[in-house]
Amino acid sequence: MHDMISEALAAGFAHAALIGTADLVYVPEYRKYCEENLCGNFGRLPVCPPACGTSDQMHERMLRYAKCLVLQSEFVPQEKTNQEYIRGKRIHNELTEKLLEQLQLDDVLVMSCGPWKNYSCMSAYSIDAEAMSKSCGMVCWGNDGIVRYFSSILFN
């Protein structure tokens, strides 16, 4: 068995934790954030609503997995532009992919940081990222100039 936490930290994540998938806080009302289309991907990408499925369908899919590896990266933007935040998400998602390859797990579900390739984001799954971070002992929002990104790998 892998020491997933150590491997995640060695891969470049600032923090990692292992929790039960049932411990993730599901808030179906969070789907409204997707519908507000702030990221511009609603109705555009197959991994985004409405194409990815309803909030309940996504929740059912998620609950097929028992364990959740929560991954956090910390990013200090050079400038406060949308492109810089997108760059931070890309770096985080590339780290997630790299770790996923290393772990060589069968049958996983990845909740990415924003939509990424074939992966839906936590918002599409209606997961409360702040509650998740607190349960893992991680900071979600800080007043310190650091942007924190999250992704999760769910597995059995």
Side-chain angles (χ1 to χ4, degrees):
M1 185 67 176
H2 297 279
D3 179 357
M4 293 182 178
I5 307 288
S6 294
E7 288 188 53
L9 297 176
F13 289 99
H15 304 281
L18 199 55
I19 62 173
T21 301
D23 295 328
L24 293 170
V25 177
Y26 171 65
V27 184
E29 295 79 20
Y30 282 6
R31 182 55 74 95
K32 71 180 177 193
Y33 297 117
C34 291
E35 293 165 358
E36 289 174 4
N37 200 25
L38 298 177
C39 73
N41 293 310
F42 184 82
R44 227 183 97 228
L45 299 176
V47 296
C48 292
C52 65
T54 67
S55 184
D56 288 340
Q57 289 168 331
M58 300 291 277
H59 188 239
E60 286 174 27
R61 192 176 307 149
M62 184 188 79
L63 289 177
R64 293 181 193 149
Y65 300 88
K67 298 174 187 161
C68 178
L69 178 63
V70 178
L71 304 166
Q72 182 189 58
S73 64
E74 296 179 335
F75 181 72
V76 178
Q78 299 303 306
E79 45 190 76
K80 293 183 180 189
T81 64
N82 197 37
Q83 288 305 103
E84 186 71 355
Y85 295 117
I86 290 170
R87 184 173 80 82
K89 284 183 179 184
R90 179 184 49 77
I91 291 167
H92 179 91
N93 286 324
E94 288 171 350
L95 279 176
T96 303
E97 280 186 323
K98 179 182 167 189
L99 179 63
L100 188 57
E101 287 175 18
Q102 282 177 238
L103 295 175
Q104 298 180 347
L105 298 169
D106 293 326
D107 187 27
V108 299
L109 184 146
V110 174
M111 291 190 287
S112 56
C113 179
W116 180 255
K117 298 183 180 178
N118 295 320
Y119 306 124
S120 299
C121 68
M122 287 189 194
S123 296
Y125 284 95
S126 299
I127 296 303
D128 185 328
E130 187 169 8
M132 177 189 69
S133 68
K134 284 181 183 176
S135 73
C136 296
M138 298 177 194
V139 173
C140 186
W141 306 104
N143 195 15
D144 53 7
I146 297 172
V147 179
R148 292 162 176 91
Y149 296 109
F150 292 93
S151 59
S152 296
I153 300 172
L154 283 63
F155 62 99
N156 286 311

